[in-house]
Amino acid sequence: MTMTLGVDASQTPKPKGKLTRPKPCYLWTTADVQKWFKRHCSEYFQLYSHLLIQNDITGKALVRMTEGTLIRLGIAHPEHLEAIWREILKLRLKADIQEMKEIEMSSIIS
């Protein structure tokens, strides 16, 4: 009698990669924000990343920021402010689009 060991599909780890959706930015930790800031604002990372850490900026706080918030954090140089603000606006737009897609998909499924 030959015995084979079966693998229960429910116990296999889910593949990480293109099949899984990225974590929504409003659920980001401060570490996730640092990773985003380094990737999208690398030119300013060394200058300002400590401000995001000191102020405990999470993803939820990041997408709610305004230009005034950035100035209060200590980002006063006009060019730096504009570049960082532009990246935050892009992130906010991307998050809004993803949310609309999810709403659309849930209404199709229901």
Side-chain angles (χ1 to χ4, degrees), residues 91-103:
L91 176 65
R92 190 184 294 172
L93 181 60
K94 190 175 175 182
D96 288 347
I97 290 169
Q98 186 59 43
E99 188 176 348
M100 288 188 305
K101 284 180 180 179
E102 288 171 6
I103 291 168

Side-chain angles (χ1 to χ4, degrees), residues 1-108:
M1 180 172 171
T2 308
M3 230 172 150
T4 58
L5 293 174
V7 176
D8 183 1
S10 66
Q11 293 178 350
T12 58
K14 301 248 186 288
K16 270 211 132 10
K18 295 292 180 186
L19 299 177
T20 58
R21 286 194 177 138
K23 187 188 329 183
C25 60
Y26 54 83
L27 297 178
W28 287 357
T29 63
T30 54
D32 294 324
V33 170
Q34 288 295 304
K35 197 182 317 182
W36 172 85
F37 193 62
K38 190 172 191 173
R39 179 176 291 153
H40 294 277
C41 302
S42 59
E43 192 174 335
Y44 309 110
F45 185 78
Q46 292 296 322
L47 290 171
Y48 303 118
S49 64
H50 70 283
L51 296 175
L52 300 177
I53 293 168
Q54 284 173 355
N55 289 281
D56 210 20
I57 302 299
T58 62
K60 191 173 191 175
L62 182 66
V63 295
R64 290 181 173 177
M65 283 188 168
T66 64
E67 286 180 281
T69 311
L70 292 173
I71 292 168
R72 284 190 298 279
L73 281 177
I75 303 169
H77 190 287
E79 284 179 25
H80 301 182
L81 179 68
E82 184 182 333
I84 294 167
W85 177 237
R86 189 179 316 113
E87 290 302 322
I88 292 172
L89 287 176
K90 284 192 231 174
L91 176 65
R92 190 184 294 172
L93 181 60
K94 190 175 175 182
D96 288 347
I97 290 169
Q98 186 59 43
E99 188 176 348
M100 288 188 305
K101 284 180 180 179
E102 288 171 6
I103 291 168
E104 201 172 80
M105 290 304 293
S106 67
S107 68
I108 291 171

